[in-house]
């Protein structure tokens, strides 16, 4: 049996790998279905129930081969951006993504990696990948982390950005040129010290030579991005959609920026990995991501009340002002009514408040 992935979000199932073999079934992916079991629709071309069950079992077996990805992000920006990609590609059941809220990535890397390798050694059916998403951002452990041996093997991968994730976003902009960024961040790359004999007895001079290299700072990247993408915010809910239409351009623009010691990003490696594990072909996945739009939030209808409830509330307010005691039921009613009142005030304009709060 042969499962052939089409250019759209579907698979064709043929009876054999031979050319011209009959089509048995077409499997389509429906990401809008909440139940994972219903996300795949089977369009059967045969009536034989035994063959149908065989196709279904082989399909399930193929799905199980997709590894479970754990993604640890340095900050909320990476978390918001990648979460949208995961959602659009229909991988929410195959990916766990979280943020460790800043700090040196190497500090987070060591315990998470140890736990991952322990599980890999002692669990025979272990099929997972661990991804770290982080910026250079002046972290002292960045250089040693990116130079570690066997990184991007054993199921452990790094999705770095140098100097920050905003540089990856800048690569989406056709007007952006790396030369436009100022080099204002000074980094020490070499230090030499030696002793030089002095003029007098027992006098020596200790000389030190320090070599610096100037880089683009995260602040410069942020400022440049704000100038090219007005209103950019690191935690905006529409973060991904702000750049999504130019994602194919950015992936191509980042091809020669894969050295962690230089300006660039390895986030494209993670995006390509997610596309590979999605039910879409690469062409269809990129088209889907580029055309994606944010889901409009539905405005909740403010709670309403009747004229009778309003008159009861006015009467109880008068009782409280007259220092009269009121029952527990009436107290509970007043609390509920005030909650409705506050909810409406937060969502309505002044004329609407007058109209709704004072029906008579």
């Amino acid at each position: 049996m042969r499962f052939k992935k089409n250019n759209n979000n579907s698979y064709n199932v043929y009876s054999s790998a031979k050319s011209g073999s009959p089509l048995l079934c077409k499997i389509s992916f429906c990401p809008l279905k909440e139940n994972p079991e219903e996300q795949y629709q089977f369009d059967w071309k045969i009536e034989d129930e035994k063959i149908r069950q065989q196709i279904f079992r082989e399909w399930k077996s193929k799905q199980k081969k997709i590894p479970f990805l754990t993604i640890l992000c340095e900050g909320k920006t990476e978390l918001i951006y990648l979460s949208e990609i995961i959602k659009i590609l229909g991988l929410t059941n195959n990916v766990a993504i979280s943020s460790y809220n800043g700090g040196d990535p190497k500090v987070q890397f060591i315990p998470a990696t140890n736990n991952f390798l322990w599980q890999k050694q002692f669990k025979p059916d272990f099929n997972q990948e661990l991804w770290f998403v982080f910026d250079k951002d002046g972290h002292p452990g960045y250089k040693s982390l990116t130079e570690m041996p066997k990184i991007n093997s054993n199921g452990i991968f790094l999705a770095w950005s140098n100097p920050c994730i905003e540089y990856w976003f800048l690569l989406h902009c056709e007007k952006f040129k790396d030369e436009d960024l100022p080099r204002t961040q000074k980094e020490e790359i070499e230090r030499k010290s030696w002793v030089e004999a002095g003029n007098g007895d027992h006098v020596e001079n200790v000389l030190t030579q320090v070599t610096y290299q100037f880089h683009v700072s995260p602040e410069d990247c942020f400022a440049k991005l704000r100038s090219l993408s007005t209103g950019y915010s690191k935690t905006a809910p529409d973060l991904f959609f702000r750049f999504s239409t130019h994602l194919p351009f950015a992936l191509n623009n980042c091809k020669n920026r894969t050295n962690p010691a230089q300006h660039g990003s390895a986030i494209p490696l993670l995006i390509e990995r997610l596309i590979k594990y999605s039910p879409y072909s690469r062409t269809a996945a990129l088209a889907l991501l580029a055309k994606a739009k944010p889901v409009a939030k539905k405005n909740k209808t403010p709670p309403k009340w009747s004229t009778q409830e309003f008159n009861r509330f006015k009467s109880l307010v008068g009782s409280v002002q007259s220092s009269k005691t009121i029952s527990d039921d009436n107290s509970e009613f007043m609390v509920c009514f005030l909650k409705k009142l506050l909810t409406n005030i937060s969502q309505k304009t002044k004329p609407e408040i007058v109209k709704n709060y004072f029906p008579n």
Side-chain angles (χ1 to χ4, degrees):
M1 222 168 270
R2 179 168 69 103
F3 290 79
K4 180 184 177 183
K5 193 171 186 178
N6 301 322
N7 288 331
N8 53 21
N9 56 338
S10 65
Y11 287 80
N12 286 346
V13 185
Y14 297 94
S15 59
S16 70
K18 294 181 180 179
S19 177
S21 57
L23 176 66
L24 304 179
C25 176
K26 185 175 181 180
I27 305 174
S28 302
F29 179 65
C30 305
L32 297 179
K33 298 283 186 180
E34 293 184 2
N35 185 355
E37 297 293 332
E38 298 176 356
Q39 287 185 342
Y40 295 98
Q41 301 295 320
F42 291 77
D43 181 15
W44 300 106
K45 308 298 181 184
I46 53 168
E47 299 295 333
D48 193 319
E49 187 62 31
K50 288 185 178 180
I51 297 179
R52 286 188 177 188
Q53 290 299 323
Q54 183 183 350
I55 292 172
F56 189 74
R57 285 194 300 271
E58 288 193 26
W59 172 252
K60 282 289 185 182
S61 177
K62 283 176 67 67
Q63 293 306 105
K64 288 180 181 178
K65 291 178 183 177
I66 297 177
F68 186 86
L69 273 65
T70 300
I71 304 175
L72 298 179
C73 302
E74 178 185 346
K76 288 185 177 180
T77 306
E78 295 87 350
L79 177 66
I80 295 170
Y81 178 78
L82 292 169
S83 294
E84 287 295 341
I85 296 177
I86 293 164
K87 191 187 303 180
I88 293 166
L89 293 178
L91 291 171
T92 51
N93 296 310
N94 292 89
V95 180
I97 184 169
S98 60
S99 166
Y100 56 85
N101 296 321
D104 193 334
K106 192 173 181 181
V107 175
Q108 306 293 332
F109 175 85
I110 294 173
T113 303
N114 288 341
N115 180 54
F116 179 85
L117 293 175
W118 183 90
Q119 292 187 66
K120 186 175 182 179
Q121 182 177 357
F122 292 102
K123 291 185 177 181
D125 58 344
F126 188 75
N127 185 26
Q128 295 188 25
E129 290 182 7
L130 179 62
W131 286 79
F132 281 86
V133 186
F134 58 95
D135 299 340
K136 182 181 180 181
D137 260 353
H139 294 309
Y142 174 85
K143 187 174 184 292
S144 58
L145 179 56
T146 54
E147 291 177 351
M148 276 187 176
K150 296 185 179 180
I151 286 296
N152 294 349
S153 63
N154 292 324
I156 301 171
F157 302 88
L158 303 181
W160 51 267
S161 292
N162 183 357
C164 57
I165 193 172
E166 278 74 23
Y167 189 86
W168 161 242
F169 295 150
L170 282 170
L171 294 177
H172 291 68
C173 307
E174 295 182 10
K175 295 181 180 179
F176 168 71
K177 293 181 180 179
D178 189 74
E179 306 81 54
D180 296 339
L181 291 170
R183 270 61 175 169
T184 58
Q185 190 171 48
K186 186 168 68 171
E187 180 184 12
E188 181 182 319
I189 60 172
E190 187 179 25
R191 179 182 290 265
K192 294 180 179 178
S193 298
W194 65 92
V195 177
E196 187 179 75
N199 295 326
D201 294 338
H202 309 293
V203 176
E204 294 179 340
N205 294 324
V206 178
L207 303 178
T208 303
Q209 179 183 328
V210 182
T211 304
Y212 294 98
Q213 193 172 23
F214 286 86
H215 300 281
V216 175
S217 70
E219 293 76 17
D220 290 331
C221 283
F222 184 83
K224 184 64 177 178
L225 187 60
R226 286 291 294 266
S227 70
L228 295 174
S229 180
T230 307
Y232 167 78
S233 169
K234 293 179 76 70
T235 56
D238 66 340
L239 185 61
F240 169 75
F241 304 99
R242 183 176 283 268
F243 307 103
S244 58
T245 54
H246 294 93
L247 178 59
F249 175 82
L251 292 172
N252 187 62
N253 201 16
C254 201
K255 280 184 178 179
N256 298 323
R257 304 173 194 267
T258 57
N259 185 349
Q262 299 175 358
H263 299 148
S265 179
I267 287 181
L269 295 177
L270 176 53
I271 295 175
E272 293 285 2
R273 200 70 156 197
L274 293 171
I275 290 173
K276 177 183 176 181
Y277 295 145
S278 78
Y280 304 97
S281 67
R282 187 177 186 276
T283 303
L286 287 176
L288 186 67
L289 291 169
K291 295 177 182 178
K293 302 293 181 184
V295 179
K297 289 185 178 180
K298 295 180 180 179
N299 292 326
K300 293 183 179 179
T301 305
K304 302 290 184 182
W305 57 82
S306 64
T307 303
Q308 184 180 357
E309 286 179 311
F310 183 78
N311 290 334
R312 180 184 173 189
F313 179 76
K314 282 201 298 185
S315 174
L316 290 171
V317 170
S319 298
V320 172
Q321 289 174 338
S322 303
S323 301
K324 295 180 180 179
T325 57
I326 57 174
S327 66
D328 290 341
D329 289 343
N330 284 333
S331 297
E332 186 177 347
F333 168 77
M334 290 186 73
V335 170
C336 292
F337 190 89
L338 284 170
K339 285 182 179 179
K340 288 183 181 181
L341 186 69
L342 292 171
T343 304
N344 276 266
I345 289 174
S346 67
Q347 297 185 16
K348 287 187 173 292
T349 60
K350 188 174 181 180
E352 291 175 312
I353 292 172
V354 173
K355 180 180 177 182
N356 285 322
Y357 298 170
F358 304 98
N360 294 330

